[in-house]
Amino acid sequence: MTRRSCAIYAVGVISAILLVTGIGLIASQTFRRVMHNRLKKEIVLVEGSRVFESWKRPPPPVYMEYFFFNVTNVEDFLAGAKPVVNQVGPYTYREYRYKDNVTMVDGGKMVSAYNTKSFVFLRDKSVGDPTLDNITTVNIPAWAVMNKVKGSFWKSSMVSIWMNSIGSGLFTTRTVDELLWGYEDPLLTRVAPSNPDVETTFGLMYKKNGSNDGEFVFHTGEQNYLDYGRVETWKGQSQLTFWNSNQSNSINGSDGSAFHPLLKKDERIYIFTPNLCRSIHMEFEKDVEVRGIPAYRFTPPRSVLASKEENPANEGFCVTPKECLGTGLLKVSPCRKGAPVVASFPHFYLADSQYAAAIQGMSPERTHHQTYLDLNPTTGIIVRANKRAQINILINRISGFPKTRSLNDTIFPVMFLNESVVMDEASAARVHKLLTIVKVVSNFPLFFVALGAVMLLVLIVLLMRERKQKASAEENTSYSPVSEKEKEDPQNGTYIGLAPKVEAQA
């Protein structure tokens, strides 16, 4: 075997080995599985892991925007007219959040922590000064007290007299700062001596600046990557006690700050939110991209706050059979000390149309009022999020309070908030680097296929050259006349030259 033949044979063998190996690795997804297993071990809530420090202190800036609904026709509404509101906001605060008192529990299988939040006002991102801007809105303390004493003629009469004597009406005008962070309410001050559980100060965010929602215990994800960040208990309980069914009282999913890696489009994302006193789920909507990072957008479907008729699973959220609200609403009075507070999405987005139609100034829009999470499917990291919720008060006639005589049942909007975050550039760069490594390692078998394809091309070239050289050699060794005389020879080209015979000399 010649040297050239050996080279061709070697190139052919190498090409075949590379192609078979590469295709086999792609089919078996060996490198992809290796990389995914690596991610499952890296993305866990334990000291020294890739994500633990950022979980405790998230680096991207979080902003909390507050929008208020200013009532412009209070007297007309109390006389039976349709309420008119105009939206005022945003009043924007930088939200600083971190996990406090982080402790490994249950032999390191779980971790306990407190979600501490604090807020700093940002004037350049706001429409005005919260200490100066006044908002006319529902007098929530008054409605809370009236609902608390309804059914008792003596108590209702006493509270009605107090309200008249101190000038506490059904609506109030307060500064944004007072409505958010608290003010001394005269009616609560009057009620407190006879009820020690009553706070004299009221505010929608009262005692929520620099505080936490109680102790959470999370799964680390070491035992099962699908449990990464999942809440095991809140305030020492694995089940809530606010609602009327086990399903409604279940604590499902994470607290909204961590999601397991290797997400799929067909799975539901569960989040437990203490502000709603329940768990909600989100479903895949579409593919998006944020700072060059691919992401899946998950959003709550209409069924999350659907009526019991539309979604029977929600019947457990009815406070009583008579207090079962329509689609798009959730009465959270069981976890708000009995106050007639109703949660919804902003402007009654995804709710029955009757609720937005009852208030002049409501205009639900998907772009501005949808809640969503954009999650990178490989790592489960949040790259962008907007959590939007609206606080409403249920207004109706209450016996014993003549001022409510002309009122119809109305879900009255007070305020909505938008808690938003977009991954910062530094974090995005780190995620890009990680995704590049995952992509390169997962697609490494393609290198074998590409190299095998190159070797196959080399083999084809060598074979073509070998064939060409053989053809040329055969052409050179075939017969061809060597002279004109040979061409003219009648004896078929055979010419033998004879020397003249020489006689031997005697």
Side-chain angles (χ1 to χ4, degrees), residues 114-270:
Y114 292 81
N115 295 330
T116 302
K117 298 179 182 180
S118 58
F119 302 88
V120 176
F121 179 66
L122 301 177
R123 181 64 183 87
D124 60 323
K125 292 181 178 293
S126 304
V127 297
D129 187 340
T131 62
L132 300 176
D133 295 354
N134 287 321
I135 301 293
T136 298
T137 186
V138 177
N139 188 348
I140 299 178
W143 283 96
V145 172
M146 289 190 296
N147 274 271
K148 193 75 173 177
V149 300
K150 69 179 180 180
S152 170
F153 175 77
W154 185 86
K155 290 182 179 180
S156 296
S157 300
M158 183 62 68
V159 169
S160 182
I161 293 171
W162 285 346
M163 290 178 66
N164 289 329
S165 65
I166 61 179
S168 181
L170 302 181
F171 286 80
T172 185
T173 300
R174 298 281 178 178
T175 66
V176 169
D177 193 73
E178 287 177 319
L179 291 172
L180 282 176
W181 308 112
Y183 61 91
E184 191 84 7
D185 183 79
L187 180 58
L188 294 179
T189 302
R190 202 70 176 265
V191 172
S194 60
N195 194 334
D197 294 333
V198 173
E199 293 264 10
T200 59
T201 300
F202 169 79
L204 295 167
M205 295 292 291
Y206 178 56
K207 290 186 175 180
K208 291 186 178 181
N209 196 352
S211 62
N212 60 73
D213 296 320
E215 184 191 31
F216 284 83
V217 174
F218 304 93
H219 287 262
T220 63
E222 277 193 305
Q223 306 299 314
N224 184 346
Y225 82 98
L226 294 173
D227 286 335
Y228 169 73
R230 181 169 67 83
V231 178
E232 175 65 17
T233 63
W234 175 57
K235 292 185 176 180
Q237 296 180 320
S238 58
Q239 283 275 110
L240 304 175
T241 57
F242 304 125
W243 311 110
N244 299 318
S245 70
N246 290 332
Q247 182 177 352
S248 300
N249 281 317
S250 296
I251 297 176
N252 298 321
S254 73
D255 66 341
S257 65
F259 300 90
H260 69 77
L262 309 178
L263 291 165
K264 298 177 181 178
K265 293 182 178 180
D266 61 352
E267 69 177 290
R268 279 183 170 182
I269 299 296
Y270 284 89

Side-chain angles (χ1 to χ4, degrees), residues 430-449:
R430 288 193 293 270
V431 174
H432 269 296
K433 183 178 179 180
L434 176 60
L435 293 178
T436 300
I437 294 172
V438 172
K439 188 174 182 179
V440 169
V441 174
S442 298
N443 294 320
F444 191 71
L446 292 176
F447 171 77
F448 289 100
V449 175

Side-chain angles (χ1 to χ4, degrees), residues 31 97 139 149 308 358 410 418 500:
F31 278 80
R97 50 167 62 192
N139 188 348
V149 300
K308 66 176 182 178
T410 306
N418 177 26

Side-chain angles (χ1 to χ4, degrees), residues 268-281:
R268 279 183 170 182
I269 299 296
Y270 284 89
I271 301 172
F272 171 66
T273 59
N275 290 332
L276 288 179
C277 315
R278 61 164 290 186
S279 300
I280 66 170
H281 67 267

Side-chain angles (χ1 to χ4, degrees), residues 353-418:
S353 59
Q354 68 191 63
Y355 300 115
I359 311 289
Q360 185 174 328
M362 295 289 100
S363 55
E365 297 178 24
R366 181 192 193 91
T367 303
H368 301 297
H369 304 139
Q370 182 189 45
T371 289
Y372 64 83
L373 281 171
D374 293 340
L375 306 175
N376 174 253
T378 303
T379 61
I381 292 173
I382 300 172
V383 293
R384 179 172 56 196
N386 277 279
K387 185 179 78 174
R388 294 158 170 153
Q390 181 169 299
I391 297 173
N392 312 278
I393 298 298
L394 176 59
I395 289 179
N396 53 10
R397 296 187 189 92
I398 300 177
S399 60
F401 296 93
K403 292 181 179 181
T404 68
R405 189 176 301 141
S406 301
L407 300 180
N408 297 315
D409 287 7
T410 306
I411 307 298
F412 210 101
V414 175
M415 173 197 80
F416 83 82
L417 57 86
N418 177 26

